[in-house]
Amino acid sequence: MTGKPPKLVRFARLGPARLVLLAEAVAALAMARLIVATRSPGRLVLRLGVPQECGDDHRSVADARARDIAWSVRCAAANVPFRALCFEQALAIRTLLDRRAIPATVHYGVAPQAGDSDGLRAHVWTEAAGEPLTGYPLRPAFREIARFVSARLKDKDAVIG
């Protein structure tokens, strides 16, 4: 048989460093899921970071660590037994990046709900130095309405609201 090996075999081949990172991502996603399930939308948004003007472009140095963390969050989200969609992934990656002092931007956007002239769908995506981390590919219908940088960044242009 020439298909993909079972998940357990693929995980075993990752090596210790990636397995530890993946375990950390699973824990961060579980915490993010709990937060999303128990907080109001207004309080959730505050967890994304410090609000920044949408026109500002805060660039950071994206390196292999940021890409590895993004991989771990996406991989964990695809395999955990609970909901781990864009918001949970954004909270998890924010936690893991902040822990390592890697700056990133979280974007919050909306798009019209299909078939509902008054409804909106929300989406959250993250990037570091313009490199997509989670929430991609981004559908063209989504328009950014808020942007957040890490609370660790002392950006003079950040708007605290």
Side-chain angles (χ1 to χ4, degrees):
M1 187 174 252
T2 60
K4 285 197 312 190
K7 283 184 184 181
L8 218 46
V9 172
R10 291 194 321 259
F11 284 140
R13 292 179 183 166
L14 290 176
R18 282 211 153 195
L19 284 173
V20 167
L21 187 58
L22 191 56
E24 189 179 3
V26 168
L29 278 171
M31 181 57 73
R33 180 65 200 131
L34 180 64
I35 290 167
V36 169
T38 60
R39 301 285 193 269
S40 69
R43 290 187 68 199
L44 280 176
V45 170
L46 296 175
R47 291 225 174 230
L48 295 176
V50 178
Q52 181 183 31
E53 294 294 329
C54 288
D56 291 349
D57 191 15
H58 189 278
R59 296 287 178 165
S60 63
V61 177
D63 59 10
R65 293 180 307 155
R67 287 188 298 278
D68 284 348
I69 292 167
W71 165 84
S72 72
V73 169
R74 290 189 312 267
C75 182
N79 290 287
V80 292
F82 52 84
R83 179 189 126 150
L85 300 177
C86 64
F87 212 108
E88 289 88 353
Q89 290 179 44
L91 290 174
I93 199 164
R94 164 66 69 209
T95 299
L96 298 179
L97 292 172
D98 282 356
R99 219 175 261 164
R100 291 160 178 83
I102 300 172
T105 303
V106 177
H107 304 269
Y108 186 84
V110 295
Q113 184 79 359
D116 183 358
S117 61
D118 294 330
L120 292 174
R121 293 178 298 154
H123 184 58
V124 181
W125 60 99
T126 59
E127 68 170 37
E131 184 173 328
L133 297 177
T134 63
Y136 288 86
L138 187 61
R139 294 186 181 140
F142 282 100
R143 298 289 177 243
E144 180 184 71
I145 60 170
R147 180 181 291 191
F148 303 88
V149 295
S150 172
R152 288 179 179 255
L153 299 178
K154 304 300 182 211
D155 187 336
K156 64 181 174 55
D157 294 329
V159 177
I160 300 175

